[in-house]
């Protein structure tokens, strides 16, 4: 039985900053951001958007009334949780208007938990092939104004249906998970922004990739030549290049060249949006499928990384009809508008955060389908607008 990703959709906010402008404001050479880090634009999050509204927006793009009825479980993977007890998946389920006979849960392990959700969903579908699981990887990457990590912020959600009739990627049985207790990036309960040991985190990422990929090759007997391309978790686009070059070294043969071209195709959307934490690997997959040289039957390798740290390398076979099973991301990104650095900073400081006071947001500037209207009696108030 094939099990895998049947449909995918991506949603981000409708606003962005140009990172050349941010560089100028921070007194940095813009080439450092666009070439050294490899990012051009960054999603800006107004206080009326959060992981629930972004996740619901992504999911609404892929659900038809018939598909909605088939969903047995919603798993939200995030490290930007809005409550220490209640799962954001329950809010998402409510906003989507799904029936009550649905299992709802939230998962956490930094950027890795989207992959964990997919693997757990595979298990549920293997037990009961009638089930369709909705996996939503949704996050807001925040490091703080004027920090080295600021240029690698971003936001967005990728929603995926996992079923026994995959039209995007049939996941292959061999997967390699690799974990170690490492302090490269973490966010204590009292902090709204992550604490990060940036350079160390990039080295740990590369090491985890090489460990997982080497073991995958030992277990399967496959080599790089068996892959049409590799897809990486992209906290910023240069990170994927660092990892791939760590594997390729000075190779210039046809396989190595193919890997470099496909990496480039997988980076297109990350460059425009930034880090999605849990969703970044899956946005990179969509980017490769829409901008790379990929056909049905090709094998793709996926490397998932979450600080703390956990990595996983697994593979899948691209399915017939994949082009129509994804939303048109390039078209969606064209509808965004640019905001000034001042506006971005106001939004950054204006979000609900960890404050307990009642608050009511002005919704007149947010025409997105789902919005966070405010907070009352310690409860978040969400609205469906369309
Ligand atoms: P930095 O201090 O800005 O680094 O921090 P830098 O000064 O070394 O500059 C970065 C690159 O720009 C270097 O290139 C410079 O040479 C280049 P590299 O040596 O890396 O190839 N550069 C220039 N290039 C062209 N023109 C110029 C110029 N000047 C410099 N004028 C860092 C960079 C990524 C560390 C920082 O932004 C950061 O801490 N980011 C957040 C952490 C992160 O993203 N880590 C990635 C691995 S961990 C991960 O993926 C997990 C994560 O997603 C979280 C989770 O799991 O939940 C983060």
């Amino acid at each position: 039985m094939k099990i895998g990703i049947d449909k995918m959709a991506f949603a981000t906010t409708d606003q962005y900053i140009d990172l050349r402008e941010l560089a100028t404001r921070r007194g940095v050479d813009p080439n450092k951001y666009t070439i050294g880090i490899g990012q051009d634009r960054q999603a800006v999050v107004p206080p009326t958007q959060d992981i629930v509204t972004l996740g619901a927006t992504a999911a609404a793009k892929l659900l038809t009334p018939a598909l909605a009825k088939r969903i047995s479980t919603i798993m939200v993977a995030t490290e930007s949780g809005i409550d220490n007890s209640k799962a954001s998946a329950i809010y998402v389920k409510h906003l989507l208007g799904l029936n009550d006979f649905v299992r709802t849960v939230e998962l956490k392990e930094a950027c890795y938990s989207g992959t964990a959700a997919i693997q757990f969903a595979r298990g549920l579908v293997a037990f009961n092939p009638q089930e369709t699981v909705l996996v939503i990887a949704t996050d807001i990457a925040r490091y703080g104004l004027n920090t080295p990590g600021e240029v690698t912020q971003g936001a967005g959600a990728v929603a995926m249906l996992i079923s026994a009739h995959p039209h995007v990627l049939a996941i292959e049985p061999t997967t390699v998970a690799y974990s170690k207790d490492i302090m490269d990036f973490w966010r204590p309960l009292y902090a709204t922004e992550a604490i990060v040991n940036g350079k160390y985190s990039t080295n740990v990422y590369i090491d985890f990739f090489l460990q997982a990929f080497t073991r995958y090759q030992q277990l399967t007997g496959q080599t790089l030549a068996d892959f049409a391309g590799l897809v990486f978790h992209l906290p910023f686009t240069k990170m994927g290049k660092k990892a791939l070059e760590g594997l390729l070294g000075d190779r210039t043969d046809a396989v190595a060249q193919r890997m470099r071209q496909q990496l480039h195709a997988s980076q297109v959307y990350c460059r425009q949006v930034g880090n999605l934490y849990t969703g970044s690997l899956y946005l990179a997959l969509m980017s490769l499928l829409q901008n790379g040289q990929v056909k049905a039957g090709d094998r793709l390798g996926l490397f998932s990384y979450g600080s703390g740290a956990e990595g996983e390398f697994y593979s899948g076979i691209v399915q017939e009809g994949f082009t129509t099973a994804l939303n048109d991301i390039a078209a969606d990104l064209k509808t965004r508008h640019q905001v000034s650095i001042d506006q971005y900073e106001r939004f950054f400081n204006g979000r609900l955060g960890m404050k307990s006071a009642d608050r009511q947001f002005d919704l007149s500037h947010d025409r997105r389908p789902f919005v966070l209207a405010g907070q009352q009696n310690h409860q978040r108030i969400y609205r469906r607008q369309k």
Side-chain angles (χ1 to χ4, degrees), residues 315-336:
S315 61
I317 305 295
V318 177
Q319 299 297 294
E320 288 293 345
F322 71 91
T323 49
T324 55
L326 316 172
N327 70 310
D328 185 346
I329 297 178
D332 284 358
L333 290 179
K334 279 195 194 123
T335 65
R336 300 188 300 171

Side-chain angles (χ1 to χ4, degrees), residues 29 31-32 35-37 79 110-111 143 148-149 151-152 184-185 196 198-199 201-202 205 233 235-236 238-239 242 275 277 305-307:
D29 177 355
N31 286 339
K32 174 173 177 182
I35 301 168
I37 298 287
E79 57 177 299
C111 300
Y143 292 92
V151 63
T152 67
D184 60 332
F185 167 111
V196 60
K199 299 245 165 62
S201 72
T202 61
Y205 176 120
H233 162 58
F236 50 97
K238 182 73 152 303
M239 189 66 245
K242 283 174 186 277
N275 193 356
Y277 288 160
Y305 178 78
S307 288

Side-chain angles (χ1 to χ4, degrees), residues 308-377:
E310 176 135 5
E312 182 160 338
F313 185 89
Y314 70 103
S315 61
I317 305 295
V318 177
Q319 299 297 294
E320 288 293 345
F322 71 91
T323 49
T324 55
L326 316 172
N327 70 310
D328 185 346
I329 297 178
D332 284 358
L333 290 179
K334 279 195 194 123
T335 65
R336 300 188 300 171
H337 63 275
Q338 187 179 343
V339 296
S340 67
I341 302 303
D342 285 340
Q343 178 67 294
Y344 146 69
E345 292 187 346
R346 271 194 297 277
F347 280 159
F348 192 93
N349 293 324
R351 73 172 200 155
L352 213 46
M354 291 195 183
K355 297 174 202 87
S356 58
D358 283 359
R359 222 158 141 204
Q360 205 175 357
F361 291 129
D362 173 9
L363 298 176
S364 59
H365 301 293
D366 194 336
R367 301 318 309 151
R368 307 283 290 164
F370 304 101
V371 286
L372 173 64
Q375 178 169 272
Q376 212 174 1
N377 297 329

Side-chain angles (χ1 to χ4, degrees), residues 249-316:
D250 52 14
R251 276 179 69 171
T252 53
D253 54 278
V255 172
Q257 291 308 342
R258 181 171 82 230
M259 293 301 146
R260 290 190 178 102
Q261 279 165 9
Q262 300 285 52
L263 174 74
H264 189 70
S266 74
Q267 294 167 324
V268 172
Y269 301 141
C270 174
R271 256 190 184 275
Q272 302 297 315
V273 177
N275 193 356
L276 311 186
Y277 288 160
T278 48
S280 284
L281 169 63
Y282 298 98
L283 181 63
L285 172 62
M286 296 178 81
S287 187
L288 175 59
L289 292 171
Q290 293 188 329
N291 302 296
Q293 301 294 318
V294 183
K295 58 182 186 328
D298 282 348
R299 172 177 290 115
L300 300 178
L302 290 86
F303 177 63
S304 182
Y305 178 78
S307 288
E310 176 135 5
E312 182 160 338
F313 185 89
Y314 70 103
S315 61

